[in-house]
Amino acid sequence: MIAMRYRIALPADYPMEIIERRIAERGHLTDGLPGLGLKAYLYSRAGEDGAVANAYAPFYLWRTSEGMRDFLSGPGFAALCGSFGRPVVESAVAWFGEWKNDVAEARYAAVERLLLPAGEGVDAWRAAQEGWRESLWNGDGELAVVAAFDPASWTLVRLRLSRRRFESDGGGARELYRVGRVSLG
C-alpha cells in the first residue's frame, strides 16, 4: 500500500465553510475509487482543537500505484488544482494500514511526521510501529491506524482516525484535524 497526502494551507480569514461544503458535495466521488483503500477528508480551523492554521489536508491509503496514478492524472485532482493550485503531494510506503468497519464515524484525526535518526535501522522503527499499532488497535477509540515510511526524507508518517479528539503534543510533530468524511475504495 502507498500512503499519500497533501496539505493546502489556507489564509487565516478563509471561510472554512467552503471546505466543509466541498467535502459534503464532492466527497462521495471517491467512494469505490479503483485502487483506493481509504481516503480521509481532513481539515483544520485555526485555533480550534489544537490546530495552528486553516488547512485542507486529505490523507489517502492506496492499494495500488495505478489507482494513485489515475487519481492524480484524473479530473478530480485537476479540479482541486484549479481551485487551490497544485499542491506538493507526499507519498510513503505503508508498513500497515488498518481500519474498522465503522471508520466512517471518525470525526478527528492526528497526523504525525517523525524524522528517523541517522544510524538507526529502519527495521527497528518498523517493528516499533507494530507495537504502536497494537497499543492503539485493541482499544475502543481508534477507527484507523496507518504507519508509512518515506525513504526520500527518512520520515515516518502516522495517521490515527478516531471518534474522540486528540491532544496536542506541544511540539508540533502532531497535526490535528477534523474528519469531514471517509471514503473507501
Side-chain angles (χ1 to χ4, degrees), residues 45-51 107-108 165-168 176-178:
R45 290 176 177 265
E48 183 179 274
D49 299 322
R107 296 296 170 256
Y108 301 96
R165 289 185 176 145
F166 294 100
E167 299 294 323
S168 172
L176 302 179
Y177 295 99
R178 288 187 172 265

Side-chain angles (χ1 to χ4, degrees), residues 83-106:
S83 296
F84 300 105
R86 189 169 54 188
V88 172
V89 178
E90 300 170 4
S91 62
V93 178
W95 284 329
F96 58 81
E98 297 182 19
W99 55 90
K100 295 182 179 171
N101 290 336
D102 53 351
V103 68
E105 296 176 15

Side-chain angles (χ1 to χ4, degrees), residues 17-182:
E17 297 78 22
I18 293 172
I19 298 299
E20 292 171 334
R21 187 170 51 252
R22 182 184 190 96
I23 293 169
E25 292 173 357
R26 301 180 186 185
H28 71 280
L29 297 175
T30 55
D31 292 347
L33 196 64
L36 181 67
L38 174 141
K39 177 181 180 180
Y41 289 83
L42 310 181
Y43 68 96
S44 62
R45 290 176 177 265
E48 183 179 274
D49 299 322
V52 296
N54 288 337
Y56 177 52
F59 193 105
Y60 303 75
L61 191 60
W62 294 98
R63 292 186 188 276
T64 68
S65 60
E66 293 83 7
M68 181 177 157
R69 174 202 64 205
D70 292 348
F71 172 76
L72 290 173
S73 60
F77 191 70
L80 177 119
C81 293
S83 296
F84 300 105
R86 189 169 54 188
V88 172
V89 178
E90 300 170 4
S91 62
V93 178
W95 284 329
F96 58 81
E98 297 182 19
W99 55 90
K100 295 182 179 171
N101 290 336
D102 53 351
V103 68
E105 296 176 15
R107 296 296 170 256
Y108 301 96
V111 177
E112 294 175 290
R113 293 180 44 80
L114 307 166
L115 288 176
L116 301 177
E120 291 187 25
V122 174
D123 58 338
W125 275 89
R126 182 178 180 180
Q129 297 322 298
E130 291 293 334
W132 173 79
R133 177 186 61 172
E134 291 301 316
S135 71
L136 297 172
W137 200 238
N138 295 324
D140 62 353
E142 283 1 82
L143 297 173
V145 291
V146 175
F149 165 62
D150 177 358
S153 62
W154 293 99
T155 304
L156 168 68
V157 179
R158 298 194 303 198
L159 169 73
R160 294 167 62 187
L161 300 180
S162 179
R163 289 182 191 90
R164 68 177 194 281
R165 289 185 176 145
F166 294 100
E167 299 294 323
S168 172
D169 67 357
R174 182 185 305 175
E175 300 167 12
L176 302 179
Y177 295 99
R178 288 187 172 265
V179 179
R181 183 180 210 309
V182 176

